[in-house]
Amino acid sequence: MAAVGAAVYFRGLRFKNFCFFPSSPHRWGSRSLLFRSGSNAASLTSISASGAQSAQTQTRAPAERPQTQTRKNAEESSQGYESVIGIETHVQLSTVTKAFCACEYSYGSPPNTTVCPVCMGLPGALPVLNTKVVEFAVKLGLALNCKLSLTSKFDRKQYFYPDLPKGYQISQFDVPIATRGFIDLDLPLEFGGGHRRFGITRVHMEEDAGKLLHSESGSYSQVDLNRAGVPLLEIVSEPDMRTGIEAAEYAAELQRLVRYLGVSNGNMQEGSLRCDVNVSVRPIGQSEFGTKVEVKNMNSFSAMSRAIDFEICRQVTLHKQGQGDQIVQETRLWDDGSQRTVTMRKKEGLADYRYFPEPDLPEVVLSSEYVEAIRASLPELPEAKRRRYEQMGLGMQDVLFLANDVAVAHFFDSAVDSGADVKMAANWIMGDIAAFLKSERLSIGEIKLTPRELAELISSIKGGTISGKMGKEILVELITKGGTVKSLITEKDLVQIVDPAAIEALVEKVIAENPKQLQQYRGGKTKLQGFFAGQVMKESKGKANPALLNKILLEKLNAESS
Amino acid sequence: MPAAIQNPRVLLAQWRLPHPFPPLHYHRRLYFRSPTAAAAAAANSFSHSEILSIRESLLSRSKKAVEIASEYLERLRLAEPTVRSFLHVAETEEVLKQAEEVDRAVERGESLGPLAGVLVGVKDNICTADMPSTGGSRILEGYRPAFDATAVQRLRESGAILIGKTNLDEFGMGSTTEGSGFQVTANPWDVSRVPGGSSGGSAAAVSARQCVVSLGSDTGGSVRQPASFCGVVGVKPTYGRVSRFGLMAYASSLDAIGCFGSSVVDSAIILNAISGHDRLDATSSKHDVPDYVTELISTDNMGSKPLKGTRVGVIRETLGEGVEGEIISSIQAAASHLEELGAVVSEASLPSFSLGLPAYYILATSESSSNLSRYDGIRYGKQVPEDELASLYGNSRASGFGCEVKMRILMGTYALSAGYYDAYYKRAQQVRSLVQRSFKEALDENHILISPAAPSAAYMIGEKINDPLAMYAGDIMTVNVNLAGLPALVVPCGFVGGLSPLPVGLQMIGAAFDEGRLFRVGHVFERTLKGHRFVPPTMALSGC
């Protein structure tokens, strides 16, 4: 019933032809591609050399022009209004076992195979906290610059649903493990760039619920409890974001962070990173927030960005039409097919979860030594990496690319540590290597090329041992088969000819073999220099040092004529 | 694993002939005698421990485990139609098979577990993998757990033989067993009376000698009050002493698995077997488990003042209004007896005592409203098929739960609701801290505190069934102990009533993890009390 109601509600809006959305239904499909973001995702994910995420979003990289067009539309349409966006993110932790029992969890296992009395909520079963969950929570709390609660506790959040075996979720209510932090990020240049700091309200530990599987006929549903009890961290942001891009970038930075920390795979398609976004709009200058609407069901950053911009537009239009009272507190789902949000359920008052302290679990007490040991073990985090890369002289485009993926960043760092030129290493990784990874759908960890050999390759080129062109040739070998630069150069006899005498001999040979062209050259057709150069290079099997070759060739051609 | 029981010297002196019980008689008239006389009498009397005498019978090969098991099964069968203690009785062949294994172990000269050949009844809210476990609720009718509760597993490891699952008020909510979804258990002392509850089945079964010892659970007095009503020994250990894993939760912060025995020694032996840290229960304690049994003063070396130096506080608030006169007299007599044994008895005051009952009912119902959410008809238990999810939940729970459970879920849900939380739950937690503090102060002054276990003796079946407040008021003696998480031992101390006398229990409360002291004091008290056998007259019905 709710869905039908939503459709009618929505259609009413559509006929008012709001924003940049087309009014005739048959155009939805084609126009949706023009709708702005997608490209945001491309910027976020095409630079990600690994993960299913990029694979998914790369398929819909829209043209640049329509995208800027729609952005402009969005900005114009929301004139006079400001949107306020806050995000609740659930991150599934990659602990070996679940939060409160010894079950191992792996995504995609056959239904109800990774369950036990505890996570099935059988009578008499009790939860016992997996200490890894606390460790991961502390890691993320520290990485988000939060204040840690040295004593926190678990609470029960109570509601009935078939995917919730105990009838309550073990969560943290009034004393979360971490509070009041912030996250720093850099917006991609194609969205104007710029540094942003968004506040983090809190981070708390909780358990995931199972999943409902609905039969095709709709006549029954089944429950899969594999996911029940899997540890989650819920990260609540301050309402600091203003656009879909900012929100998507916030989520992307969180994903980077959890991947850097190794606390989660951060995979959105598998549901390891889920964002619920609260969107409200208010006239600029108004201090109180507008009515907030929760938007769910976005399984990529691009979907997030698009969903939020859609929602902002929807709300602004309602305001402009004097129908602001039609914005109600509700949960809306993003429908990727139709590229719009639809009502899932209206909230009738606040749900009463009857939180109370979980009596089955003792308080979580952290010693300061424990916290300091974890702090000391933290890896370099994305923000620090970006600032360091900047100081190394890299442009922001390169910085964002390299720091985006922890594996890529490691690869780059190792190559530089092995002596590679910073700029050249960045170019090689972002150029040929990234292209190869993208076409083969591999991650940087899956190729045979080592950072040390990349450094070797770069110095061989820089030192003139081989040409850049040769370098590209052997790079493919290095990536697919491995081996060392030195052995490949020897094996393929690729060492550049840098001996002037040898080159002079080659030049003389070519000039002697082409008297006709020589005559034409000397007759003023100096363009033929290229022809001679090509012939010499061919004669040297591509190994002649180009600069030297040209210098000697020019000398010879001109010397004879004078 | 607790160590096997030592101390055979005393036992050999007390070894006796097959029949485990004295001929039918009970001591309605109670009198005390001097410890010396008691010690002299003890040497001649039958064993003061059923478990130790079974062990002796086995070790001396005077009796086989199979014979002992058969006797118990026979007595269980005979008494069951009148007492109705059991919701499920183990298959005879299965019991005998396990007894045969014990006999084979004896023949091979293997070391026996401390509970080898001991027939144990287990309250039906404690999970057993080989028997149904319903918690006394229709919503779990026929439910068979996938696992043994930790306490049950430890019993089995100690050599115990499970004889059946005992009746209780649904999920432990009640004081009479009238709240069971299946049947009402009768008090073996007078079958028209309640055995107490919620562990009424476990208490009645030990009282009627249908099993040697039994497990119960105590959230607000559910072991101690039925122990008092049925004239058996009941122990509620310190919170966290025994793992709750496998106990169907009623109020998690108050629940404790406890034990019943016909003597202090028996209850100490069984508590010894099930105590200790369990990695499956985050609230179970790592506190050392002393050997309660060898710590007991044997009657042989009992001096004239065996309790010399023990400071006993009589809780003033428990001997006033609302407590039957005869009960007060019994407790005062018991206090005098302790004094005679050398204890220093004085009055102790718990100013927050009366606040405990309302605080208990708020906390217990709040937690239970949450703990019972899992019985939703989705994964196991009773399901009423419906098209709509809400009606599936509603009707499954409506038809599965009994009235008392529904009432407590409603009360607890109310107390936890937004806007009421601070006034009820939070305030009750504050009272809980007060209660804990006042116990702490009283136990700094005294080694143990004593009080009645219940304000009256067993009442008639049906007497309070329509007056829940009167029934709740009956818990006044016991709930404070759960709020404070302390251990308490109930030992039969006398009788009340005229022509059909009913037993009265003395509650002894100790400091946290001081069960050993409770057992020592209880044991001395029991051994010096003439009439300590407390065998009910209904045993006549079962042919004893």
Side-chain angles (χ1 to χ4, degrees), chain A residues 409-470:
Chain A
H410 277 151
F411 194 94
F412 172 73
D413 286 340
S414 309
V416 172
D417 285 347
S418 304
D421 176 85
V422 169
K423 186 66 195 167
M424 285 179 82
N427 287 344
W428 278 96
I429 291 171
M430 293 168 63
D432 291 51
I433 296 176
F436 181 87
L437 295 176
K438 191 174 166 184
S439 70
E440 300 295 316
R441 300 206 160 192
L442 290 174
S443 77
I444 203 156
E446 290 169 309
I447 58 174
K448 299 256 168 58
L449 174 72
T450 63
R452 178 183 290 276
E453 288 313 310
L454 177 65
E456 183 66 32
L457 184 69
I458 289 168
S459 56
S460 298
I461 296 166
K462 214 178 169 186
T465 315
I466 56 171
S467 66
K469 191 159 164 278
M470 289 173 187

Side-chain angles (χ1 to χ4, degrees), chain B residues 185-240:
Chain B
T185 299
N187 190 319
W189 291 85
D190 176 351
V191 294
S192 62
R193 291 178 185 270
V194 298
S198 64
S199 312
S202 292
V206 170
S207 174
R209 275 44 176 186
Q210 292 177 300
C211 56
V212 183
V213 284
S214 60
L215 290 188
S217 68
D218 191 315
T219 306
S222 287
V223 163
R224 290 160 288 155
Q225 181 253 24
S228 177
F229 281 16
C230 291
V232 296
V233 175
V235 58
K236 178 253 171 229
T238 312
Y239 183 80

Side-chain angles (χ1 to χ4, degrees), chain A residues 121-122 124 156 161-162 165 352 360, chain B residues 246 370-371 374 379-380 393 418:
Chain A
L122 295 189
R156 292 184 182 178
Y161 204 63
D352 185 356
D360 287 330
Chain B
S370 174
N371 283 328
R374 66 183 60 193
R379 299 166 308 287
Y380 50 81
Y393 281 138

Side-chain angles (χ1 to χ4, degrees), chain A residues 284-346:
Chain A
I284 287 172
Q286 181 183 308
S287 60
E288 57 271 25
F289 294 134
T291 307
K292 74 176 177 189
V293 172
E294 188 180 24
V295 186
K296 283 177 184 262
N297 197 39
M298 299 144 296
N299 65 358
S300 69
F301 298 128
S302 72
M304 245 180 103
S305 174
R306 276 174 285 143
I308 291 166
D309 286 336
F310 175 93
E311 187 56 30
I312 293 170
C313 247
R314 189 185 71 87
Q315 292 184 23
V316 167
T317 306
L318 283 171
H319 271 296
K320 286 190 169 172
Q321 290 165 345
Q323 295 175 322
D325 57 342
Q326 282 193 29
I327 302 169
V328 291
Q329 200 166 352
E330 60 175 337
T331 300
R332 297 177 71 88
L333 288 184
W334 171 248
D335 179 3
D336 221 34
S338 61
Q339 296 284 302
R340 54 182 178 155
T341 63
V342 292
T343 298
M344 182 171 93
R345 59 166 180 261
K346 306 240 184 218

Side-chain angles (χ1 to χ4, degrees), chain A residues 375-528:
Chain A
R375 195 193 301 276
S377 76
L378 290 181
E380 185 182 34
L381 297 172
E383 173 68 7
K385 230 178 234 314
R386 287 191 297 262
R387 298 288 80 84
R388 183 164 62 83
Y389 288 171
E390 242 184 342
Q391 284 178 358
M392 285 162 72
L394 291 172
M396 187 47 77
Q397 195 85 41
D398 299 5
V399 168
L400 291 179
F401 182 101
L402 293 169
N404 177 58
D405 182 302
V406 65
V408 171
H410 277 151
F411 194 94
F412 172 73
D413 286 340
S414 309
V416 172
D417 285 347
S418 304
D421 176 85
V422 169
K423 186 66 195 167
M424 285 179 82
N427 287 344
W428 278 96
I429 291 171
M430 293 168 63
D432 291 51
I433 296 176
F436 181 87
L437 295 176
K438 191 174 166 184
S439 70
E440 300 295 316
R441 300 206 160 192
L442 290 174
S443 77
I444 203 156
E446 290 169 309
I447 58 174
K448 299 256 168 58
L449 174 72
T450 63
R452 178 183 290 276
E453 288 313 310
L454 177 65
E456 183 66 32
L457 184 69
I458 289 168
S459 56
S460 298
I461 296 166
K462 214 178 169 186
T465 315
I466 56 171
S467 66
K469 191 159 164 278
M470 289 173 187
K472 281 178 192 282
E473 274 170 35
I474 68 168
L475 180 76
V476 178
E477 295 260 329
L478 288 168
I479 288 176
T480 54
K481 295 183 188 137
T484 64
V485 174
K486 281 206 173 75
S487 67
L488 276 172
I489 289 171
T490 329
E491 191 183 305
K492 293 187 173 281
D493 190 20
L494 289 175
V495 182
Q496 211 171 25
I497 303 170
V498 287
D499 176 8
I503 292 175
E504 195 176 337
L506 288 169
V507 170
E508 276 169 359
K509 183 169 179 259
V510 168
I511 289 175
E513 281 171 5
N514 297 286
K516 208 165 132 197
Q517 282 82 357
L518 180 70
Q519 209 173 348
Q520 284 172 348
Y521 178 90
R522 288 180 179 165
K525 208 170 177 187
T526 50
K527 270 187 183 169
L528 277 171

Side-chain angles (χ1 to χ4, degrees), chain A residues 117 120-128 156 158 160-162 165-168 225 352 354-357 359-362, chain B residues 127 143 147 244-247 252 279-283 370-371 373-375 379-380 389 393 413 416-418 421 425:
Chain A
M120 285 174 76
L122 295 189
L126 295 171
V128 177
R156 292 184 182 178
Q158 310 191 63
F160 282 100
Y161 204 63
K166 299 188 292 296
Y168 56 84
L225 295 178
D352 185 356
R354 289 176 284 115
Y355 279 102
F356 78 105
D360 287 330
L361 292 168
Chain B
C127 290
Y143 173 73
F147 58 92
R244 291 185 295 117
F245 189 81
L247 168 67
S252 312
R279 58 181 185 82
L280 297 176
D281 175 5
T283 63
S370 174
N371 283 328
S373 296
R374 66 183 60 193
Y375 308 111
R379 299 166 308 287
Y380 50 81
L389 184 61
Y393 281 138
T413 304
L416 288 178
S417 296
Y421 181 87
Y425 185 86

Side-chain angles (χ1 to χ4, degrees), chain B residues 123 125 171-172 198 217-224 236 247-256 360 364 478-479 481-483:
Chain B
K123 191 178 180 181
N125 62 350
F171 291 118
S198 64
S217 68
D218 191 315
T219 306
S222 287
V223 163
R224 290 160 288 155
K236 178 253 171 229
L247 168 67
M248 296 174 188
Y250 160 19
S252 312
S253 73
L254 303 162
D255 290 344
Y360 167 80
T478 45
V479 293
V481 176
N482 296 80
L483 290 175

